[in-house]
Amino acid sequence: MIRSEQERQRIASMEALRERGLDPYPAAAFDITHRTASLKASFGEGQKVRMAGRLMNRRIMGKASFGELKDAEGVFQLYFNRDELCPGEDKGLYNDVFKKLLDRGDFIGIEGETFMTQVGEPSVKVTALTVLSKAIRPLPSVKVDEDGTVHDAFNDPELRYRMRYVDLVVNPHVKATFEARSKIIKTIRDTFDAEGWMEVDTPVLQSIPGGAAARPFTTHHNALDIPLYLRIANELYLKRLIVGGFDGVYEFSRNFRNEGMDRTHNPEFTVMELYVAYKDYHWMMETTENLFGHIAQAVHGSTEVPLGSHVINFAPPYARVTMRDAILEHAGVDIDGLDEAGLRAACESLGIDTDDSMGRGKLIDELFGEKCEHHYIQPTFIMDYPTDMSPLTKAHRDKPGYTERFELMINGTEVANAYSELNDPLDQRARFEAQLQLSQRGDDEAMFIDHDFLRALEYGMPPTSGIGVGIDRLVMMMTNQTSIQEVLFFPQMRPEAFERSAGHADFSALGVPQAWEQHLVAAGFSTPADLMGAKPTQVHQRLNGYRKKNKLDIPALSLEEVTAWSQNAESPAS
RNA sequence: GACCUGGUAGCUCAGCCGGUUAGAGCAUCUCACUUUUAAUGAGAGGGUCCUGGGUUCGAGUCCCAGCCGGGUCACCA
C-alpha cells in the first residue's frame, strides 16, 4: 500500500526501537496509579505517580522537554529532563528514544513525581519511560490557543464519521457528547430499575415485522428456509411479556428501517420501550416528564437545557394539548366535525398535498405535521390521536373516534410516543384488518397482521400503558446537536472503496520478481488484469519512474522483462 | 429522488481571465535550545490537485460523465 512520508518515518522509528531492544508493542500490562483529570483535581507536589496514555503536543527544548499525556480522562503535562530521565552515562533513552523515535500519538507509560512549573502548570517530572504502542499514522494536529480558538480543527464530516476513532482522540467535545449519551441511558435504566421494572431482550430477527409501520430490512434463514426481517419495533413482544405476567418491562431496542437517511434518520436507531401494567396514558405522562427532568439534571445539573437558539425547560409539568385543539389553534380546522372528504378539502385549501391512499387518520397527521408540529418548542404532550392512525392504541374512554395516545413534542420534533395499550383482542383484530384495507388501498406502510400477538391478547392482557422514546433524538436534544450522526458513534455511510491489493501469488504467476510485487499496487497496478491491460512500454516506464521517485533499492526493469510478463499471462507456464 | 455545494500535502485551507517548477499555516525531518504550553530561531523534505473522458498549443482552473461527502427539499405514523 502507499505510505505517506510521515508514515514511512514512523515505521522506520518503530524498527529502530526494536533494534534497541525496545518492543514497540509490548504484551505486559502497565499498571497505573493515577489518571490525568483526577490527578489534576487532587493535585499536590511530590506525589509519586505511574500513568499511561498518548504522548501529545511535544515541546522539545534541548536537554529538557514538555509534552502532554492524554488518557481517557483528559491531558496532563509531562516534563522530561535528560539527566533526571537518564541519570547514568547513557543518555540514549532521552536523546534517541524520546526525542527521535517517539512521535505524537504514541502510547507511553511513565513514572515520575508531581511538581508545579514556574508558570503554574501542574506537571509530572518523568523518571521512567516505557513505550506501550507505536502509532504509524499521524493524528491531525488540532491546536487551541490562549483565547480558546481552535486551529486546524479536524472537522470534515466525512472523515470524522468514517474515522470516529480519530475524531474522538482529537475532538474532546465529540467525546463529551457520547459520554452524555451514556449518562442519559444510565439514568433511564437506574430510574426504571428502582421502580422494579425489568430490562428484557426480545428478538431482533422477526418473521413478522410488527409494532410499527415501516419498510423492513429483509434477510433469509437458511436452515428454516424462510425470510426474516430485522425488527422495526419491539412493541408486540414486550406486550406478550405483560400477558406473561410481568408488571413492568423495558428494552433499549435497536430498530432497523429501510428508508431514507438524513439529519434525523439513520437506518438503525435506538428506541427505549417501556410497558407497565395497570397504568394508563395519564400516568405515563407524569412518568415521562419526571424522567426527562431527571435526565436533564443528570446531564446538565439543571432542567434548563440550551438547544440551538432556544432554552428548553425540562422541569415538569409539561403542557398537555389535544390533537384537535392543536389543529384548531394552528390550522383553524376543527377535525371533529369533518369526514374524510371534508378533511381532504381542508388540507387542499391549506396547500397540503393529498392522495387517495390517505385515510382520515393520515390526513389529520398531515395537518398536524405541516401546520402544528414546529410550534411546539418547549416539551408538550399532544394527546388523543384519531383511531385509524393508532392501530395499537386503546379507544378513548369518552371520545368516540379517538384513542388514548400521546406524543411528546420538543423543539418541533417527536421524541416519544405512548398509549394506553389496546388490550381488547377483538378490537385489535378489527384494527389490523382496517390496516390491511389501507395497505390494499396503496399505503405500503400499513401494518402486517401478527396472529400470534392476537392470540396472546386473547389470553388476556391487563390494562397497560406503554411508551417508546427515541433515544438518538433525545440525546440530540440533551447535547445540543442538530444531526443524528453526531450522536451515533458509527453512523451509516456508503462503504469506503479501499484499493484491493492482489494476492501474493497472483503477480508471481506472471513472473514478476518478488522485490517488485509489493510496489506494483502502489504504482497503480492493483491486479494482474490492470498490469496486462496496459502496454508493456507503459508498464515499463511507470514502474521505473516509480522506482526512481521512491529511491527503491532494487534493480531497474528492462523492457524485455516486462514484455515477458504479458507473454506469461497469455500462455501460462504449465 | 430533485436542487445547491464541496473534494488540492498528514490536518485546515489559498490558488485571480486557462499560462513558468501548484502555495501558506500547523504537522514531519535536520540543527540550536534545561520550566515551555498554538514553545522559539534557522534550514529541508513532502502532491494520483477525487476518477475518467473532452475542449485547448497548454487544464488544479473550462465542459461532460462518474465516485464520495455536506446542505436544502421531497419521502418517512
Side-chain angles (χ1 to χ4, degrees):
Chain A
M1 67 183 292
I2 304 167
R3 291 277 182 203
S4 73
E5 185 192 27
Q6 289 188 48
E7 289 167 0
R8 291 197 299 268
Q9 282 162 348
R10 282 164 175 250
I11 290 170
S13 296
M14 181 197 78
E15 286 162 353
L17 285 172
R18 282 218 170 88
E19 281 165 22
R20 290 184 129 265
L22 295 176
D23 186 349
Y25 304 102
F30 188 89
D31 295 324
I32 61 166
T33 60
H34 294 78
R35 289 196 175 82
T36 56
S38 42
L39 178 60
K40 205 170 282 187
S42 64
F43 182 76
E45 291 198 83
Q47 296 182 69
K48 301 275 187 209
V49 298
R50 242 173 104 84
M51 305 170 78
R54 285 187 194 268
L55 175 64
M56 303 294 278
N57 200 15
R58 260 185 323 170
R59 300 177 290 278
I60 296 176
M61 288 162 298
K63 298 181 187 66
S65 300
F66 290 91
E68 278 160 14
L69 188 76
K70 182 184 181 66
D71 68 7
E73 289 187 349
V75 295
F76 201 91
Q77 179 161 280
L78 301 180
Y79 174 68
F80 297 85
N81 181 302
R82 188 193 67 183
D83 296 324
E84 308 238 15
L85 187 59
C86 312
E89 284 299 305
D90 181 5
K91 307 297 185 188
L93 184 62
Y94 180 80
N95 283 337
D96 300 329
V97 175
F98 174 76
K99 279 171 69 175
K100 296 194 195 300
L101 302 182
L102 285 183
D103 293 288
R104 201 173 91 268
D106 290 351
F107 282 92
I108 59 170
I110 59 105
E111 281 179 56
E113 191 178 313
T114 57
F115 75 108
M116 191 70 86
T117 64
Q118 290 177 1
V119 294
E121 179 77 24
S123 306
V124 172
K125 186 179 294 179
V126 177
T127 53
L129 170 66
T130 310
V131 179
L132 296 180
S133 180
K134 181 77 193 163
I136 295 308
R137 293 178 186 255
L139 289 164
S141 53
V142 180
K143 292 196 171 181
V144 183
D145 67 18
E146 290 171 354
D147 307 327
T149 311
V150 178
H151 298 265
D152 301 321
F154 179 65
N155 55 14
D156 180 325
E158 176 169 7
L159 294 177
R160 286 183 46 232
Y161 301 153
R162 285 196 193 282
M163 301 191 289
R164 183 69 90 183
Y165 36 90
V166 175
D167 195 25
L168 289 164
V169 172
V170 303
N171 290 327
H173 58 281
V174 172
K175 197 174 168 195
T177 298
F178 288 100
E179 287 166 348
R181 181 182 177 114
S182 174
K183 191 175 281 183
I184 289 165
I185 290 171
K186 180 174 162 39
T187 302
I188 296 173
R189 190 170 270 139
D190 289 349
T191 304
F192 289 180
D193 288 350
E195 294 286 347
W197 302 327
M198 190 170 77
E199 184 167 12
V200 298
D201 290 296
T202 64
V204 174
L205 282 175
Q206 303 179 347
S207 55
I208 297 170
R215 271 190 294 277
F217 285 92
T218 307
T219 185
H220 185 265
H221 189 271
N222 289 340
L224 296 176
D225 192 23
I226 53 166
L228 286 175
Y229 306 91
L230 274 65
R231 69 177 165 202
I232 57 175
N234 61 346
E235 168 157 359
L236 302 187
Y237 283 94
L238 293 183
K239 287 187 193 174
R240 285 170 167 97
L241 295 178
I242 296 293
V243 171
F246 294 105
D247 267 354
V249 290
Y250 69 97
E251 179 175 15
F252 287 89
S253 172
R254 186 67 61 89
N255 294 346
F256 304 83
R257 296 187 183 178
N258 203 343
E259 291 170 347
M261 297 163 56
D262 61 29
R263 222 171 52 255
T264 54
H265 297 83
N266 194 68
E268 56 181 293
F269 60 102
T270 303
V271 175
M272 192 294 301
E273 297 228 5
L274 166 72
Y275 290 80
V276 182
Y278 313 116
K279 304 297 184 186
D280 65 9
Y281 78 144
H282 292 294
W283 173 88
M284 188 60 88
M285 281 185 246
E286 287 174 33
T287 301
T288 305
E289 60 198 5
N290 288 330
L291 175 66
F292 278 41
H294 281 139
I295 292 170
Q297 281 286 353
V299 175
H300 294 279
S302 163
T303 51
E304 311 230 318
V305 176
L307 181 57
S309 57
H310 301 108
V311 173
I312 307 296
N313 184 1
F314 283 98
Y318 302 162
R320 288 153 167 78
V321 179
T322 65
M323 177 66 102
R324 180 193 170 204
D325 289 345
I327 294 176
L328 195 56
E329 180 184 352
H330 296 292
V333 175
D334 186 353
I335 58 173
D336 250 5
L338 293 174
D339 59 6
E340 186 176 318
L343 278 169
R344 180 164 284 117
C347 283
E348 295 292 347
S349 73
L350 289 165
I352 299 168
D353 290 337
T354 64
D355 66 60
D356 290 343
S357 77
M358 292 178 177
R360 190 164 182 276
K362 181 85 176 168
L363 290 165
I364 290 171
D365 187 50
E366 287 291 316
L367 264 177
F368 182 78
E370 287 293 316
K371 295 294 170 190
C372 310
E373 203 171 59
H374 58 275
H375 290 291
Y376 298 103
I377 302 300
Q378 295 301 324
T380 303
F381 293 117
I382 304 296
M383 306 163 58
D384 300 349
Y385 284 61
T387 304
D388 52 351
M389 59 187 294
S390 309
L392 302 169
T393 315
K394 184 176 281 196
H396 197 281
R397 59 193 75 182
D398 46 37
K399 289 186 199 164
Y402 291 90
T403 57
E404 298 208 347
R405 169 181 178 182
F406 72 82
E407 290 193 356
L408 175 58
M409 310 297 303
I410 301 172
N411 200 33
T413 310
E414 173 199 343
V415 180
N417 182 17
Y419 319 139
S420 296
E421 300 294 338
L422 177 54
N423 61 346
D424 175 340
L426 301 184
D427 190 1
Q428 182 67 80
R429 187 177 296 273
R431 303 279 195 95
F432 276 143
E433 276 160 9
Q435 287 288 303
L436 199 59
Q437 283 182 354
L438 277 179
S439 136
Q440 282 158 358
R441 198 167 151 181
D443 184 345
D444 59 357
E445 296 195 329
M447 287 186 182
F448 294 76
I449 297 185
D450 185 333
H451 292 284
D452 175 70
F453 172 66
L454 287 172
R455 179 168 60 192
L457 287 191
E458 288 169 5
Y459 278 97
M461 182 173 90
T464 298
S465 186
I467 188 169
V469 177
I471 293 296
D472 308 300
R473 289 185 183 175
L474 175 61
V475 174
M476 286 165 65
M477 285 172 191
M478 289 289 176
T479 58
N480 200 7
Q481 296 294 336
T482 55
S483 160
I484 197 171
Q485 297 171 307
E486 295 293 345
V487 301
L488 299 171
F489 273 126
F490 303 104
Q492 192 58 241
M493 303 278 283
R494 196 176 288 274
E496 194 174 357
F498 282 95
E499 233 176 277
R500 278 194 317 117
S501 57
H504 187 266
D506 293 330
F507 283 120
S508 60
L510 302 176
V512 176
Q514 214 174 351
W516 270 101
E517 281 180 31
Q518 56 179 308
H519 300 296
L520 289 181
V521 174
F525 301 105
S526 307
T527 64
D530 290 348
L531 199 59
M532 295 306 104
K535 288 178 187 157
T537 48
Q538 190 190 347
V539 174
H540 177 239
Q541 286 183 10
R542 178 123 57 115
L543 290 181
N544 279 336
Y546 181 85
R547 170 182 172 274
K548 188 174 178 184
K549 183 176 171 188
N550 290 288
K551 303 182 178 79
L552 298 182
D553 191 20
I554 50 180
L557 292 160
S558 69
L559 183 55
E560 288 72 27
E561 280 180 90
V562 177
T563 309
W565 298 348
S566 325
Q567 288 165 352
N568 290 342
E570 284 156 17
S571 56
S574 57

